[in-house]
Amino acid sequence: MTQPIRVAISGGGLAGASLSQALLKFSHLDVHIFESAAAFKESGMAIGIARNALAALELIGSFATQCLERAGAVPMRGVRFMLAQGEGQGSLIDEADSKAQGKRLTSIVHRAAFLRELLADVPDERMHASKKLDRTERLQDGSIRLHFTDGSTHECDILVGADGIHSTVRELVLGEADLAAAPRNTGTWLVMTLKPYAEAQSSLGKGEVDLEDAREYSWIGDGSYILHNLLSDGQLVQFVIASHDNEAELSSRWNRPVGAE
C-alpha cells in the first residue's frame, strides 16, 4: 500500500487554515498544522478578501466560501477614494464600483471569525498548538524532521511556511544572513479600531456608512489617510488610521506609542 504524503503546515492563521481546507480532502495526504501560540487564534481586526482571493477560495471548494459567509463577511459594492485635506476637501478622487465594472471587488471579514470557521471541521488530532518551530533536519530518505522549541519532533515529506511576516520557515530556507529572511518597516504606521454600526453612522452620516450600499472609503491626507469599511454582517465598522514616517523606513521597528491627539 502506498504511504501517504506527509504535509506539515507551519502557522495556524488564515493562510495555514485555508491551505488545510484545500488539502485535507485528499486521502493520499497526511496533513498537520502547527501553531506556535498556545491556541489557534487570529490577532488584528478585519481584512479584505479581494476578487483574486475569492477566486482562490472557490477553487478550494464551496466549504471555504461558506466559511466566509458564516464569518459575517460584507461584500463591498464599491471603493471610494476621498480628499480629506486642502482645496477640494471632501471631494471624490476616484472610485471602483462593482456594478459598473461587472466584477467583485472585495469582501471585509473579521480575521478571528473567519479563522474559527475555517478550522471548525479540522480534526483535533491534526491541529497542534504551542509548537514553535526551532530548526529542521533533512533525513537520509529525503524526508524532513521538524524540531520544536518544546523538544518535540515531527517528520514530514513537505513543509509549508504559513507562519506570517516573521516567518521561521523563510529564515530557515533562505538563511539568517539573507536580507529577505527578515521583514523591514515600510515607514507606515497603522492604528486600527472597531466601532458599532450605529455609532459610526452617527459620526460619519448614512451616506458614508450604509449597509444597504456598503462601500469602503479611503480619506487621503498629507502623509496620512483614514480607511473605513463594514464587517460582521454590518454590525461593526472598522477604522484604519495610517501615517508615514520616513525615519522608520527599512527599520526593524514594529510598534511605537502614540497619543490620542
Side-chain angles (χ1 to χ4, degrees):
M1 182 176 178
T2 303
Q3 293 296 316
I5 299 172
R6 300 166 298 174
V7 180
I9 302 172
S10 179
L14 291 179
S18 298
L19 179 59
S20 72
Q21 284 296 334
L23 300 182
L24 281 170
K25 57 189 176 185
F26 296 105
S27 59
H28 68 288
L29 299 179
D30 179 20
V31 182
H32 291 262
I33 315 174
F34 298 89
E35 168 58 36
S36 61
F40 284 76
K41 62 180 181 179
E42 270 287 357
S43 58
M45 301 289 180
I47 59 168
I49 307 295
R51 56 175 169 262
N52 57 342
L54 290 169
L57 288 176
E58 290 172 350
L59 288 173
I60 290 173
S62 59
F63 179 80
T65 55
Q66 291 167 7
C67 286
L68 191 62
E69 295 173 5
R70 289 197 299 269
V74 177
M76 297 292 103
R77 295 188 178 185
V79 177
R80 288 177 173 168
F81 298 89
M82 313 294 293
L83 187 62
Q85 291 178 296
E87 185 178 351
Q89 178 179 338
S91 61
L92 178 67
I93 301 172
D94 197 6
E95 179 177 17
D97 186 279
S98 61
K99 186 175 182 180
Q101 297 182 2
K103 53 188 177 182
R104 301 171 297 186
L105 295 175
T106 185
S107 291
I108 310 302
V109 65
H110 198 295
R111 298 172 67 100
F114 191 25
L115 179 65
R116 183 173 60 248
E117 295 297 335
L118 285 170
L119 293 175
D121 70 340
V122 176
D124 290 342
E125 64 269 19
R126 296 184 180 273
M127 299 169 58
H128 311 275
S130 298
K131 295 296 179 181
K132 181 173 176 56
L133 184 63
D134 180 50
R135 61 186 178 90
T136 61
E137 176 187 0
R138 180 70 71 173
L139 303 180
Q140 288 187 345
D141 63 358
S143 62
I144 306 166
R145 179 176 291 146
L146 310 180
H147 293 260
F148 301 98
T149 55
D150 64 357
S152 63
T153 62
H154 178 84
E155 292 183 11
C156 63
D157 302 301
I158 299 172
L159 169 62
V160 180
D163 46 348
I165 191 169
H166 299 285
S167 172
T168 299
V169 175
R170 182 174 62 244
E171 183 177 304
L172 290 173
V173 170
L174 297 178
E176 191 175 314
D178 194 304
L179 291 177
R184 293 290 182 268
N185 195 318
T186 63
T188 300
W189 298 106
L190 298 178
V191 177
M192 296 173 286
T193 188
L194 297 174
K195 292 293 183 182
Y197 179 83
E199 182 180 335
Q201 191 178 68
S202 176
S203 297
L204 296 178
K206 187 174 181 180
E208 283 72 31
V209 181
D210 183 4
L211 181 59
E212 300 303 316
D213 187 32
R215 296 176 187 271
E216 181 175 272
Y217 282 80
S218 287
W219 299 85
I220 313 300
D222 183 9
S224 62
Y225 76 88
I226 297 177
L227 173 149
H228 62 83
N229 47 36
L230 288 81
L231 62 145
S232 300
D233 291 323
Q235 298 179 46
L236 295 172
V237 177
Q238 174 181 235
F239 290 87
V240 180
I241 305 169
S243 64
H244 191 75
D245 178 3
N246 290 329
E247 294 182 1
E249 282 190 28
L250 301 180
S251 73
S252 58
R253 297 167 59 196
W254 294 103
N255 54 68
R256 59 171 292 186
V258 295
E261 65 277 5

